[in-house]
Amino acid sequence: MSDVSSIHPVDERLPVGRLATLGLQHVLVMYSGAVAVPLIVGRALQLSPQDVAFLISADLFVCGLVTIIQSLGLGRSIGIRLPVMMGVTFASVGPMVSMAAMTPGQEGARMIFGAIIGAGLVALLLAPVMGRLLRFFPPVVTGTIILVIGVSLMRVGVNWIFGNPFGPTAPKLVDPSHAEWLAELKKAAATGGPAVPDGLVLGASVPNPLYAEPSHIALAGFVLLSILVIARFGRGLISNIAVLTGVVVGCVVAAALGMMHFDRVADAGWFAVVTPLRFGMPIFDPVLIATMSLVMIVVMIESTGMFLALGEITNREVSRQQLTAGLRVDGLGTMIGGLFNTFPYTSFSQNVGLVGVTGVKSRYVCVMGGVIMIALGLIPKMGALVEAVPTFVLGGAGLVMFGMVAATGVRILSTVDFKSSRNNLFVVAVSVGFGLIPLIAPNFLIWLPHAIHPIIESGIVLASISAVVLNAFFNGLSFESTASVNAAKLADSH
């Protein structure tokens, strides 16, 4: 009979009741980040509320499934078998929003999912050679990329508060009298009058009363203040779920003021199977796949740091074989995500921190967390409830979530030597500048070949290419890989 004390804490099987409690704690810590991406991308695609709710359910379902594969393992070569919770990475949001803007609707969704499946396959194939690719991504590169990711995402959070640039909440609307004039002109043209020039479009000139409503701004500010107060004075789990708690408080206030409605929640069912390929067969565009593959390489660099940090926290050495097995799940999980109408997956570092805080190292806690996520994904009412949250409520939380991503980039850059190697300043300065081009001048590509638009439309991709090339130019490709891994361990916001 084996001695119980010989079992490593990572492999310890806790009582079911304790497993459920600790697993739910992991779910609560990651929940707000997990549901944010399908909300952003679904609304950028201009999908119906029902389809956005489905994306949320699909995301929760696949989060759970991929978490179980990572923590429990699948065969000998897939899964790191450590307490890891898997979730959608914010690094993929910028390129996906650009794709959605280029091709909205279900066709755009099919293009995004095709790019995700293709990038997942690339990541799966690259997993064994990631050690060699680390040389291209020292801290000055990864820190710059993550900083640009956060800055790019802030636009989403700000638009959540005030209103989207286009659509019913745009800053300005077409003057009704102008629209009536154009309609009369077209009617006259149909009966022999002067022809209306092809492509004539009226410009928006009337302020929109739905844009930047003071009540929306006030509630977003209240959510932000709630999060900051909870983070400052909360303890333990309450502090760790400050963003989620702030959103819940904001929803309660919004509902009390009649600004949040639950009609679609009432109409949604209690159980539904998450079906793959809901929007049809994916569209595999080589340029889009290359764009998402670049994102996946950055994600896998971060995952490398997460896994090594977790190995230190749990006192279990992570071998090269185990590291490869863990990175394979990033690729496999991303492929599964594309098939099930959802997004790229990586280890959630907030949960890695939670392992250190609680001292509970059992991987079966995360397996239970995965089971809970699957259960939530099979309840359509949960997806409908999240979809019902007003965007201005999410905006207050978005400033925190996306700002934390940018702050993480700053933290990583703090490990870079800027004094003795001033060339690193050029790497950061020029790359951040490239990353801001699509934000400040979104029409800069108007005369460039349409085939390369998906690549250069994303500031994240532009910054990534710039940082890699400039670092190679100034610093070469030889560096201490330990420095890169240690910097990756600081990436705790996405």
Side-chain angles (χ1 to χ4, degrees):
M1 186 173 179
S2 61
D3 185 2
V4 175
S5 63
S6 65
I7 299 176
H8 194 281
V10 168
D11 300 316
E12 184 181 2
R13 296 176 183 265
L14 303 175
V16 175
R18 192 174 180 213
L19 274 181
T21 302
L22 293 170
L24 179 61
Q25 185 176 13
H26 272 283
V27 170
L28 291 174
V29 167
M30 70 176 292
Y31 192 81
S32 57
V35 300
V37 175
L39 274 172
I40 296 169
V41 178
R43 288 171 176 170
L45 283 166
Q46 301 174 31
L47 298 177
S48 68
Q50 292 78 11
D51 283 339
V52 175
F54 174 81
L55 289 183
I56 295 167
S57 294
D59 177 42
L60 295 174
F61 177 82
V62 179
C63 273
L65 180 61
V66 180
T67 294
I68 292 173
I69 294 173
Q70 185 72 279
S71 298
L72 195 60
L74 188 65
R76 297 185 58 185
S77 58
I78 297 178
I80 198 166
R81 292 173 171 80
L82 288 174
V84 175
M85 294 293 291
M86 301 290 287
V88 180
T89 171
F90 278 125
S92 63
V93 173
M96 288 192 295
V97 169
S98 295
M99 295 175 199
M102 181 178 63
T103 312
Q106 296 199 2
E107 184 180 357
R110 291 164 58 208
M111 294 180 73
I112 290 175
F113 297 140
I116 290 170
I117 294 171
L121 178 59
V122 171
L124 192 62
L125 297 175
L126 285 179
V129 298
M130 277 308 296
R132 298 176 185 175
L133 292 179
L134 280 173
R135 66 176 59 197
F136 294 98
F137 294 88
V140 69
V141 174
T142 55
T144 301
I145 293 172
I146 294 172
L147 172 60
V148 172
I149 289 171
V151 172
S152 299
L153 289 175
M154 287 299 291
R155 175 177 57 178
V156 175
V158 171
N159 286 337
W160 273 351
I161 296 174
F162 300 109
N164 290 314
F166 307 99
T169 59
K172 291 187 177 182
L173 300 174
V174 173
D175 190 319
S177 63
H178 295 176
E180 184 179 348
W181 167 82
L182 182 58
E184 291 294 332
L185 198 62
K186 289 181 178 179
K187 188 184 299 183
T191 58
V196 178
D198 292 336
L200 177 64
V201 177
L202 295 174
S205 58
V206 178
N208 184 358
L210 297 180
Y211 181 78
E213 282 193 55
S215 60
H216 294 179
I217 299 173
L219 190 50
F222 174 75
V223 171
L224 175 59
L225 180 62
S226 299
I227 293 171
L228 297 177
V229 169
I230 294 167
R232 170 65 178 83
F233 297 105
R235 294 291 181 269
L237 175 62
I238 299 300
S239 179
N240 286 329
I241 61 171
V243 173
L244 177 61
T245 307
V247 171
V248 171
V249 171
C251 287
V252 171
V253 175
L257 296 174
M259 302 165 70
M260 182 176 178
H261 306 285
F262 302 93
D263 298 343
R264 286 191 288 269
V265 179
D267 294 338
W270 283 102
F271 176 82
V273 176
V274 177
T275 53
L277 305 179
R278 174 185 172 103
F279 301 100
M281 286 299 297
I283 299 172
F284 298 98
D285 184 296
V287 176
L288 300 185
I289 291 173
T291 301
M292 292 304 297
S293 296
L294 180 58
V295 171
M296 286 305 300
I297 291 174
V298 175
V299 165
M300 293 169 78
I301 295 291
E302 294 174 20
S303 293
T304 298
M306 298 306 149
F307 294 150
L308 294 176
L310 193 55
E312 293 178 4
I313 292 172
T314 59
N315 298 317
R316 170 168 279 187
E317 183 180 355
V318 178
S319 66
R320 180 176 291 274
Q321 180 182 357
Q322 287 176 303
L323 184 61
T324 299
L327 293 176
R328 281 196 183 106
V329 178
D330 277 10
L332 178 62
T334 297
M335 292 179 67
I336 294 173
L339 288 171
F340 278 87
N341 320 285
T342 182
F343 311 106
Y345 287 88
T346 186
S347 56
F348 255 41
S349 45
Q350 296 96 318
N351 296 87
V352 173
L354 186 60
V355 172
V357 170
T358 62
V360 179
K361 304 171 183 178
S362 172
R363 59 193 173 105
Y364 294 101
V365 170
C366 289
V367 172
M368 179 59 78
V371 172
I372 294 171
M373 295 288 277
I374 289 176
L376 292 174
L378 296 175
I379 303 173
K381 283 189 182 294
M382 291 301 301
L385 181 61
V386 174
E387 195 281 328
V389 178
T391 53
F392 46 87
V393 171
L394 292 171
L399 292 182
V400 178
M401 288 192 295
F402 307 145
M404 288 295 288
V405 176
T408 297
V410 174
R411 286 178 58 190
I412 294 175
L413 289 174
S414 70
T415 68
V416 176
D417 180 11
F418 289 107
K419 291 185 179 179
S420 61
S421 182
R422 292 184 66 251
N423 288 335
N424 285 329
L425 290 171
F426 289 103
V427 177
V428 177
V430 175
S431 301
V432 170
F434 270 98
L436 292 178
I437 289 174
L439 294 180
I440 298 171
N443 296 318
F444 78 100
L445 40 61
I446 188 171
W447 303 118
L448 297 175
H450 188 74
I452 66 172
H453 282 199
I455 294 179
I456 61 178
E457 257 184 337
S458 169
I460 297 168
V461 177
L462 284 177
S464 300
I465 295 172
S466 172
V468 170
V469 171
L470 288 176
N471 175 69
F473 175 71
F474 283 116
N475 301 322
L477 297 177
S478 60
F479 73 103
E480 269 298 323
S481 61
T482 305
S484 181
V485 170
N486 288 338
K489 293 176 185 178
L490 295 174
D492 62 356
S493 295
H494 63 298

